[in-house]
Every structure is written in C-alpha cells, then in structure tokens.
Amino acid sequence: MKVIAINGSPHPQGNTFQALKVIGEELKKENIEFEILQVGSQKIHGCMGCNMCFKNHNERCVITTDTLNDLLQKIKDVDGLILGSPVHYSGIAGTMKCFLDRAFYVAGANGNWFRHKVGAAIVAVRRSGGSATLDGLNHYLTYSEMLVPTSNYWNIIHGLKAGEIIQDNEGLQIMRTLGKNMAWLMKMKEQTKDTLTPPEGESKIMTNFIR
C-alpha cells in the first residue's frame, strides 16, 4: 500500500513538510510506502470552471501550462492521500487551493478516483485560523466519499519558523496518532476487500434552487 502526502506550503522544508514527515514515519512502521509531493511552491493555475474535464473524460485538465496533469497521474491510484497546508488568512494556501480545485474536479469527472480511499488533512499554523483551514481541506475528502481517519484532537500543529513544530508536543502526538490510525484503517480496508462489498455508488444529483 502507498500513501502520498501533498505539501501545499510554499516552503518545501517548512513546518507543513515536517508535520507530514511525522505522519509518514508512523505509516512506514506499518510497511506502508510514503511519499511527499511538493505542490505549494509550484506555479499552478486556478480552475476556470470550463467543465471540459467532464466533457473529455480523459483524466486531464485542459490547462496544460503547469504540472497539474503530471501530478494527477501520481496520485490517481494511491491507497491513501494526505492534504497538508499552512494557514493563509485563515484559509488554505493559494497554490494548494488551485491544485485541489482542479485535481478533485478532474477526479470526479473521471469516475471519482478517490471514493472509499483513505484520506486525511493536516494544518500547520503560527497562531489561529487552523480550524477553518482544516475544515476547508476536509471538504475535498468528504465530498469525494473518502474514508477519513481521526486523531485525538484536531489535526493542527503550531510553529512559525521551520522546525518549530518540534516544540509542540501535543501537535506531534496528534500527527503520530493520525498516522497510526490511518495505517490501521487502510489495513482494515485491505483485509476486508474480498469479504465486504462496498456500497454501490449513485449518480450525482445536482439541484439548483434559483430558476
């Protein structure tokens, strides 16, 4: 099994990266392959809402001037996904938001790649805004019908300068616990795949309230 973590921070070795590494160590202890993809320092265009991914069904976004399509193929078939972001104005970092909007839109347009896969989100923050950012990240996971493991508190860790999160002992415990619970959930899913049939998916109903 494999988990890919998306580092949405513009700082490749910053606190978001360090927090993801803590989770990854717990996964690797359980013989789960782990990789971090650095997204936050790339130039990634926002979604244009053109709906061409739903028309083409070719597993690609029509915007080809950035690396998104290459990144999509790396995360398409993983068993688990972790979304990590710093807090910018009490929300998801801009480049990460652009990536998530397009990635999950393309995934949904091509059969909902992430349905029933295990997904988690974590946030690194200096002071406040962590809960709002975590909530925003979780929207992508729950909308996609992913299985979301929990920890013993909200998945938020504190620090300003790179490496300061090691002083947040509770935050480190949260990350370790999340990694352990994620590994356990993935193993349960793997061990029951031949004995427990997943619920059948329904075609999405779209209701508009303004006519």
Side-chain angles (χ1 to χ4, degrees), residues 88-107:
H88 290 180
Y89 288 90
S90 290
I92 302 169
T95 300
M96 180 65 161
K97 184 72 166 57
C98 291
F99 169 81
L100 293 173
D101 285 348
R102 288 169 61 200
F104 278 79
Y105 212 47
V106 172

Side-chain angles (χ1 to χ4, degrees), residues 1-4 32-35 74 77-81 186:
M1 291 184 289
K2 180 172 183 177
V3 170
I4 283 185
I32 295 173
E33 189 178 349
F34 179 73
E35 179 184 356
K74 290 185 177 182
D77 296 318
V78 294
D79 304 287
L81 190 66
M186 291 177 67

Side-chain angles (χ1 to χ4, degrees), residues 83-93 96-101 104 120-123 129-144 146 148 154-156:
L83 310 180
S85 178
V87 175
H88 290 180
Y89 288 90
S90 290
I92 302 169
M96 180 65 161
K97 184 72 166 57
C98 291
F99 169 81
L100 293 173
D101 285 348
F104 278 79
I122 66 103
V123 169
S131 294
T133 304
L134 181 63
D135 180 56
L137 292 172
N138 280 331
H139 290 170
Y140 294 92
L141 308 179
T142 56
Y143 187 89
S144 303
M146 297 187 78
V148 182
W154 319 133
N155 301 338
I156 301 168

Side-chain angles (χ1 to χ4, degrees), residues 55-95:
K55 295 177 183 178
N56 294 333
H57 296 290
N58 62 355
E59 302 185 354
R60 296 177 60 83
C61 176
V62 294
I63 301 172
T64 58
T65 55
D66 55 31
T67 60
L68 181 102
N69 286 319
D70 293 334
L71 294 170
L72 282 178
Q73 292 306 309
K74 290 185 177 182
I75 65 175
K76 174 188 172 184
D77 296 318
V78 294
D79 304 287
L81 190 66
I82 304 174
L83 310 180
S85 178
V87 175
H88 290 180
Y89 288 90
S90 290
I92 302 169
T95 300

